Every structure is written in C-alpha cells, then in structure tokens.
Amino acid sequence: MLTTRYVTGSPNWLDLGTPDLETATAFYGGLFGWEFRSAGPDAGGYGMFQLDGRTAAGGMTVPPEQGPPSWNIYFQSPDADATADAVRGGGGTVLFEPMDVFDLGRMAVFTDPSDILFGTWQPGRNKGLDVAAEPGSLCWLELYTPDQNDALAFYTGVFGWETSMMALPGGTGAYTMAHPAGEAAETMFAGVVPLSSDPTETGAYWLPYFEVPDCDASVAKAGELGGTVRMPPVELEGVGRFAKLADPTGARFAVIQGAQVAQENAEAA
C-alpha cells in the first residue's frame, strides 16, 4: 500500500504537465477538491495542488511543443546522480540531468528503454507528497509497457524493486506488483502490465490512480467538468471499483474506490 513513509524506490512525488493550468485547476478542484498554490516567482510557474492544506501533487504549464499533457511520476532516491548513472547503464535515457531545486531536494527526469517518462526525487527539505492513499490523493500506479520482463529488469536495476504476484479472478492470469527492496509485500505500490493485455491503452506510460469515495460519482463528475471516460467503472473482487479517465486537455489518470469502501457503499444502498 502506498504511504508517505517514503523509502528508496517508492513513489514520492507526481506532477501534471498541462498546456492549460487554469483549466486543470478547475477540473481537479471540482473532482478532488484540490486548490492550486504557486511555489513563488522563482519557481517558473510551478505550484502545488493541495488537499485541505496538504500537497497532493505538483503542476505547471507545459506548452504543446514541449510535450503532451501528462502526469509524471517520481521515485525516491538517496542519490539522484547515482540513479542517473544506473538509468544509463540499464539502457534508459537521462532527459534532464540531476539538479538542485532550491534546498527542497534534487531531481532528474528520464525515460526507460521503452521511452516511458519517469523521474527521481532526492529529498531535501521537501520529503515528498504530504498525503497518499486517502480520497483525492495518489494511491496506486500502473506501468503499461511493451515488455514486462525487460521493464522489471530495468527498474529493479535502477531502484532495487522486488515483486509479488496476485492471481486474477477466474484463472485469467496473474498481476505483477512492485514494492521497495527489503520491504514487505504489503508495501506494494504499482502493477506492471503488458501493454498488449489491455485494449484500453494505446501507448506505454505510467498511469496514476487516485482514491475516491465513490467511483461512479467521480466518473460522472469528471464528465461534467469536461473530462473523458476512457474506461467506464469496473468492479474487481478484492480490489475495488475503478475507471480510467482523461482530463480536459488529455492527461490520463484513473480513479479507484477501494474494496472496503465499495462494500460499505453497497451495504448502505
């Protein structure tokens, strides 16, 4: 389970690159209750999406010529420079060399061997997101990749991840999950999914999931706010009810109503 007890290799930050920050702020504010707070005049327009005064994500304007609208995931490292070396050694690419962000921490941005974007955050004064696995915050990740084995070998080499497996309902296969090195399997934070196994996905990328109290209500609200439903709500036994969405500019994400909440809602209906 994703928590704010960050260790090496765990996701500790995410941010939105969007061509229209005002529209994004209105959308995610209406959907999750976030408020955008600028990081100040020296931060180049970067700011924080806050949930009840706690940082749930970062965000900034990214012109279309610099890249498509997207959510970007960062994993904790004790040494961003060493992580950059490991990325190169594993066949990835360093897009932005490690750099200090004031006294907040040190960051770098990469692509893996399948050209999937991700980053690393070496904490300084900023240890990472203030909230996780609560309604309106990041609770899970999925990596959609053309080669599951190669992806696992790469990220294991870079961050030391370990994996566990969960049988899918109906004997349809198994779901591979990652957790930080040396930690219990219960600290899993991501699934690694072959791109060919999911017809709703047309490109390799990291997909963030945000916890919501009611999946169907959130999907309806996203539509009202100008978002797109890429996959309608689906129930997965023991996991919960989830759906895949895109915001008004096309940034992809998912929402999930955890199994316990889904059961409580069903019993109350």
Side-chain angles (χ1 to χ4, degrees):
M1 178 179 178
L2 185 62
T3 73
T4 55
R5 186 184 70 82
Y6 302 119
V7 297
T8 297
S10 65
N12 63 353
W13 194 259
L14 85 162
D15 57 24
L16 175 69
T18 177
D20 190 337
L21 189 56
E22 183 177 352
T23 294
T25 297
F27 175 80
Y28 291 104
L31 186 61
F32 297 138
W34 291 354
E35 295 182 355
F36 185 76
R37 293 289 181 267
S38 171
D42 297 328
Y46 197 90
M48 314 302 171
F49 289 109
Q50 295 197 321
L51 180 66
D52 298 327
R54 300 173 295 171
T55 298
M60 68 179 299
T61 300
V62 176
E65 62 271 17
Q66 293 184 15
S70 64
W71 280 101
N72 307 304
I73 312 300
Y74 299 78
F75 300 95
Q76 179 151 309
S77 169
D79 185 335
D81 295 84
T83 298
D85 289 340
V87 166
R88 292 189 189 93
T93 301
V94 178
L95 295 182
F96 295 98
E97 294 284 349
M99 59 183 175
D100 291 326
V101 182
F102 308 114
D103 61 347
L104 300 175
R106 192 164 172 80
M107 66 164 289
V109 178
F110 316 113
T111 57
D112 70 14
S114 294
D115 205 32
I116 300 171
L117 190 73
F118 71 103
T120 195
W121 179 254
Q122 177 185 336
R125 188 162 56 84
N126 184 341
K127 304 302 181 184
L129 300 175
D130 295 327
V131 57
E134 296 181 21
S137 68
L138 181 69
C139 65
W140 188 251
L141 299 171
E142 279 183 333
L143 174 64
Y144 287 89
T145 176
D147 194 312
Q148 185 183 46
N149 291 332
D150 283 354
L152 287 170
F154 172 78
Y155 287 101
T156 296
V158 172
F159 294 116
W161 291 353
E162 297 174 5
T163 60
S164 58
M165 306 288 285
M166 178 182 73
L168 294 173
T172 56
Y175 186 66
T176 302
M177 300 170 291
H179 61 273
E183 301 286 324
E186 288 74 20
T187 63
M188 56 194 174
F189 56 78
V192 181
V193 184
L195 186 58
S196 60
S197 70
D198 191 333
T200 69
E201 298 298 349
T202 57
Y205 74 119
W206 278 103
L207 173 68
Y209 280 70
F210 297 97
E211 183 73 33
V212 292
D214 186 322
C215 180
D216 294 78
S218 294
V219 169
K221 187 65 175 178
E224 293 172 7
L225 293 166
T228 301
V229 179
R230 300 190 300 118
M231 186 186 79
V234 173
E235 191 86 25
L236 186 60
E237 183 180 356
V239 175
R241 190 166 177 80
F242 63 96
K244 295 179 180 180
L245 308 171
D247 72 17
T249 66
R252 297 175 289 182
F253 67 101
V255 293
I256 184 167
Q257 173 187 342
Q260 183 176 348
V261 174
Q263 181 178 352
E264 291 172 353
N265 289 350
E267 292 173 351

